[in-house]
């Protein structure tokens, strides 16, 4: 999630979640929420993810320091999400979960064991997109923008292009063993899940941009500042409110950090505390106006109700984990 958008990360890793749940007999919600905890924690805390990278720049924090403290807080945030999932979902009955009516199980292709691909071939379609995206991020940090390597990496390391390359590799490598008919049948089934994700993600991004352009976020943030809360809770409350209203964690963390920075300068407080508190608030609630929510529910086959009962509730505990990390950091800063 550090170099990869959390939405794309979940799409890439969700088949692994389903496979582990089936083999190890672990409730699907535990694994799905645990994966989300890791992806979403680093998404709001660790540069060069866009949100925390922009927040660190606006607060004048050294990137290395932001990465160090962001990873420290991510441990608490992701740990809180994992612990909640383990304790809350472990003994829940099957009736607790409800699934989409159109969430049909994907057809399983019967194969002889000796025809199954080896370990290396199996993970190549998964690793190649991650490597390409990481290279893109790394080259942009280390090389000038005019460099040919940066231009090439920007193209093949774009999440859309990288995932497309991974898909083509999977088709080519598996097609040799399954045959064209089986591959087409599998692709038809998976596109039923992928299609809604694409459209919902686009719609969610458009809604967030409209709210940002309207100035509604800045108005809400000013209302929080005027309440007279303890300073350490101001960026947390601003980010929480913005996250709930417009859905984007990136917008929430950047806006909260920007609006809280002048107050921190007046009080002589370390800006890293604003950075951590803003990230905690930006993780407070993931619900229907967040594109990640729909990626999560579509990939897992959950309906909206189960998405709210699993992912949305877990985000509350993740935010509290981030706030705890902020308090601990404040003891020595």
């Amino acid at each position: 999630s550090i170099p990869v958008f959390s939405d794309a990360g979940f799409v890439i890793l969700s088949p692994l979640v389903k496979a582990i749940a089936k083999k190890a007999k672990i409730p699907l919600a535990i694994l799905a929420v645990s994966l989300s905890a890791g992806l979403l924690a680093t998404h709001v805390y660790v540069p060069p993810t866009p949100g925390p990278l922009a927040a660190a720049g606006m607060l004048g924090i050294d990137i290395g320091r932001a990465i160090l403290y962001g990873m420290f807080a991510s441990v608490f945030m992701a740990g809180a999400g994992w612990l909640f999932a383990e304790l809350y979902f472990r003994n829940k009955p099957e009736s607790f979960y409800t699934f989409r009516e159109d969430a049909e199980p994907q057809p399983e292709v019967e194969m002889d064991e000796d025809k199954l691909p080896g370990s290396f071939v199996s993970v190549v379609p998964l690793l190649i997109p991650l490597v390409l995206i990481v290279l893109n991020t790394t080259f942009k940090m280390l090389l000038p923008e005019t460099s040919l390597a940066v231009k090439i990496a920007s193209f093949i390391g774009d999440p859309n292009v990288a995932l497309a390359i991974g898909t083509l590799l999977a088709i080519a490598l598996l097609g040799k063993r399954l045959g064209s008919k089986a591959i087409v049948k599998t692709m038809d089934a998976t596109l039923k899940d992928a299609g809604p994700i694409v459209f919902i993600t686009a719609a969610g991004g458009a809604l967030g941009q409209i709210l940002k352009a309207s100035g509604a976020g800045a108005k809400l943030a000013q209302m929080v500042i005027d309440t007279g809360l303890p300073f350490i809770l101001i960026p947390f409350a601003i980010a929480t409110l913005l996250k709930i209203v417009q859905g984007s964690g990136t917008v929430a963390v950047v806006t909260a950090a920007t609006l809280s920075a002048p107050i921190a300068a007046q009080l002589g407080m370390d800006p890293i505390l604003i950075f951590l508190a803003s990230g905690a608030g930006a993780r407070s609630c993931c619900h229907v106006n967040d594109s990640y929510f729909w990626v999560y529910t579509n990939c897992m086959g959950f309906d909206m109700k189960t998405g709210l009962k699993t992912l949305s509730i877990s985000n509350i505990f993740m935010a509290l984990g981030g706030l705890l990390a902020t308090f601990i950091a404040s003891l020595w800063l």
Side-chain angles (χ1 to χ4, degrees):
S1 177
I2 296 173
V4 184
F5 282 109
S6 51
D7 303 56
F10 194 87
V11 171
I12 292 172
L13 297 174
S14 58
L16 187 62
V17 166
K18 294 178 181 178
I20 294 175
K22 183 177 180 180
K23 293 287 186 181
K25 307 300 181 184
I26 299 174
L28 183 62
I30 292 180
L31 296 173
V33 170
S34 297
L35 172 60
S36 297
L39 291 170
L40 296 176
T42 48
H43 180 73
V44 296
Y45 268 141
V46 186
T49 310
L53 181 63
M58 292 175 181
L59 293 169
I61 301 172
D62 177 74
I63 297 301
R65 190 166 183 247
I67 292 174
L68 181 64
Y69 277 92
M71 292 184 70
F72 166 77
S74 294
V75 172
F76 284 83
M77 180 175 282
W82 165 78
L83 185 61
F84 166 78
E86 278 286 347
L87 297 177
Y88 189 67
F89 300 121
R90 176 60 66 179
N91 297 314
K92 283 288 186 288
E94 287 297 323
S95 58
F96 179 80
Y97 309 102
T98 49
F99 296 83
R100 303 193 326 268
E101 293 181 0
D102 60 337
E104 301 175 357
Q106 295 182 10
E108 295 187 5
V109 180
E110 296 294 334
M111 295 181 65
D112 296 332
E113 289 291 331
D114 57 352
K115 292 184 178 180
L116 290 174
S119 299
F120 177 75
V121 174
S122 298
V123 299
V124 163
L126 175 66
L127 292 179
I128 291 298
L130 296 176
V131 170
L132 293 176
I133 295 171
V134 170
L135 283 177
N136 180 27
T137 303
T138 304
F139 283 6
K140 285 182 177 179
M141 292 178 63
L142 301 178
L143 301 175
E145 293 183 6
T146 55
S147 169
L148 178 61
V150 171
K151 294 179 180 178
I152 295 174
S154 297
F155 175 72
I156 63 174
D158 179 87
N160 298 305
V161 176
L163 289 173
I165 292 173
T167 301
L168 293 175
L169 280 172
I171 294 172
L173 295 173
L174 196 59
K176 294 179 180 179
R177 295 168 173 82
L178 297 182
S180 59
K181 291 184 178 179
I183 287 293
V184 171
K185 185 177 180 181
T186 301
M187 291 176 62
D188 284 343
T190 54
L191 283 173
K192 292 180 181 179
D193 289 333
I197 291 174
V198 172
F199 288 107
I200 292 170
T201 299
L207 175 60
Q209 189 63 33
I210 290 171
L211 291 172
K212 179 182 177 182
S214 70
K219 292 287 186 181
L220 291 171
Q222 189 60 48
M223 290 171 56
V224 173
I225 294 175
D226 294 339
T227 60
L229 285 171
F231 176 73
I232 199 64
L233 293 179
I234 288 179
F236 176 80
I238 292 174
T240 296
L241 190 58
L242 290 175
K243 172 63 178 171
I244 293 172
V245 170
Q246 55 83 40
S248 171
T250 299
V251 172
V253 69
V254 172
T255 305
T258 303
L259 295 176
S260 302
I263 306 175
Q266 293 175 6
L267 298 177
M269 295 186 67
D270 195 316
I272 200 71
L273 295 177
I274 300 177
F275 178 81
L276 297 179
S278 299
R283 191 68 286 128
S284 57
C285 186
C286 179
H287 62 101
V288 295
N289 64 354
D290 188 339
S291 62
Y292 184 89
F293 177 86
W294 298 107
V295 171
Y296 168 89
T297 54
N298 274 276
C299 286
M300 294 297 102
F302 295 144
D303 63 4
M304 184 179 72
K305 180 180 178 182
T306 299
L308 293 171
K309 291 194 298 184
T310 56
L311 180 64
S312 300
I313 295 177
S314 70
N315 270 234
I316 297 173
F317 291 89
M318 290 173 63
L320 294 176
L323 195 59
L324 175 61
T326 305
F327 172 74
I328 293 173
S330 71
L331 298 178
W332 67 75
L333 292 175

